[in-house]
């Protein structure tokens, strides 16, 4: 994740505009920097056994499907998401989100989940009692907000203004 989302430069690899890099170079770079002896089979096994669909190998290239923070935008396919998406977040972020909407913060995009359970897991990384906001994607799309494909469970957006967010707890 660190090499493919956040700091490819540390590994001497370059991502194309869709986030892909040469798989053989990527493996060689990981092995060089971390003194490992990974094979293509090891990388394929990590992807196959991961709890999330974070990476994709296409032919001789590999990419992270979402989560990037490197400078410059990685392009993702524009598409129509399910009518409702979810975003799990921390209670302490709610006043700011209510005012400014969902922003990408340190990443290139806002990350949204297709189901409540995943949103809960995402939010649990920030708060022991996360809040699950719901996103009215149809209203947002009508207002010109674009949604991008991450993987089967993750959708991305440049930002989600607060008017399209629902599910605020009573005391926020
Ligand atoms: C919050 C993991 C204040 C936002 C996950 C979130 C996901 C605001 C935090 C993926 C805000 C950013 C991304 C505003 C948003 N004011 N706080 N206006 N707008 N925030 O980690 O969505 O396991 O960058 O609610 O599962 O938590 O690594 O984003 O709490 O899919 O594959 O700012 O990363 O995937 O936190 O997680 P993050 P995220 P992996």
């Amino acid at each position: 994740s660190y090499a493919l989302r956040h700091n490819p430069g540390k590994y001497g690899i370059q991502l194309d505009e869709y986030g892909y890099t040469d798989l053989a170079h990527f493996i060689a770079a990981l092995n060089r920097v971390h003194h490992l002896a990974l094979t293509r089979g090891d990388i394929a096994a990590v992807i196959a056994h991961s709890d999330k669909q974070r990476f994709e190998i296409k032919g001789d290239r590999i990419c992270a499907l979402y989560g990037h923070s490197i400078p410059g935008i990685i392009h993702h396919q524009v598409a129509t998401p399910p009518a409702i998406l979810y975003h799990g977040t921390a209670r302490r972020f709610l006043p700011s989100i209510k005012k400014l909407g969902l922003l990408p913060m340190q990443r290139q995009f806002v990350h949204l989940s297709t189901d409540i359970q995943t949103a809960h897991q995402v939010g649990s990384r920030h708060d022991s009692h996360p809040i699950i906001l719901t996103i009215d994607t149809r209203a947002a799309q009508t207002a010109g907000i674009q949604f991008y494909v991450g993987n089967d469970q993750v959708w991305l957006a440049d930002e989600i203004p607060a008017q399209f967010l629902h599910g605020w707890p009573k005391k926020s």
Side-chain angles (χ1 to χ4, degrees):
S1 286
Y2 186 63
L4 292 174
R5 290 174 170 177
H6 307 301
N7 195 356
K10 173 176 172 172
Y11 297 83
I13 58 173
Q14 282 190 335
L15 308 185
D16 72 12
E17 60 183 316
Y18 298 99
Y20 282 91
T21 193
D22 183 87
L23 179 56
H25 287 165
F26 169 71
I27 294 170
L30 284 187
N31 286 338
R32 188 182 66 247
V33 172
H34 297 294
H35 309 289
L36 300 169
L38 298 173
T39 64
R40 185 181 168 132
D42 294 325
I43 302 295
V46 167
I47 295 175
H49 298 127
S50 173
D51 57 331
K52 292 179 178 177
Q53 198 187 348
R54 291 188 173 95
F55 311 103
E56 182 175 70
I57 292 176
K58 252 193 191 163
D60 57 2
R61 300 172 80 69
I62 185 169
C63 76
L65 291 169
Y66 61 89
H68 300 88
S69 69
I70 55 167
I73 289 288
I74 297 287
H75 295 286
H76 295 268
Q77 190 191 335
V78 176
T80 297
I84 301 291
L85 288 172
Y86 303 92
H87 180 87
T89 190
R91 289 166 290 181
R92 66 185 183 283
F93 298 155
L94 289 180
S96 171
I97 293 173
K98 206 162 203 177
K99 204 156 98 191
L100 304 174
L102 287 174
L103 300 175
M105 308 308 280
Q106 306 302 315
R107 302 186 197 258
Q108 290 185 0
F109 297 100
V110 172
H111 287 61
L112 306 167
S113 308
T114 52
D115 63 278
I116 293 174
Q117 194 193 346
T118 305
H120 193 273
Q121 283 168 1
V122 174
S124 299
R125 293 160 44 257
H126 303 291
D127 188 346
S128 57
H129 291 87
I131 301 300
I132 312 299
L133 297 173
T134 58
I135 293 96
D136 179 348
T137 68
R138 295 291 175 265
Q141 273 193 315
T142 302
I145 304 285
Q146 289 194 320
F147 292 86
Y148 311 96
V149 179
N151 66 20
D152 291 349
Q153 266 114 35
V154 178
W155 285 80
L156 308 170
D158 298 305
E159 64 174 302
I160 305 288
Q163 72 210 76
F164 306 116
L165 301 172
H166 304 282
W168 304 98
K170 291 209 169 62
K171 278 202 290 183
S172 72

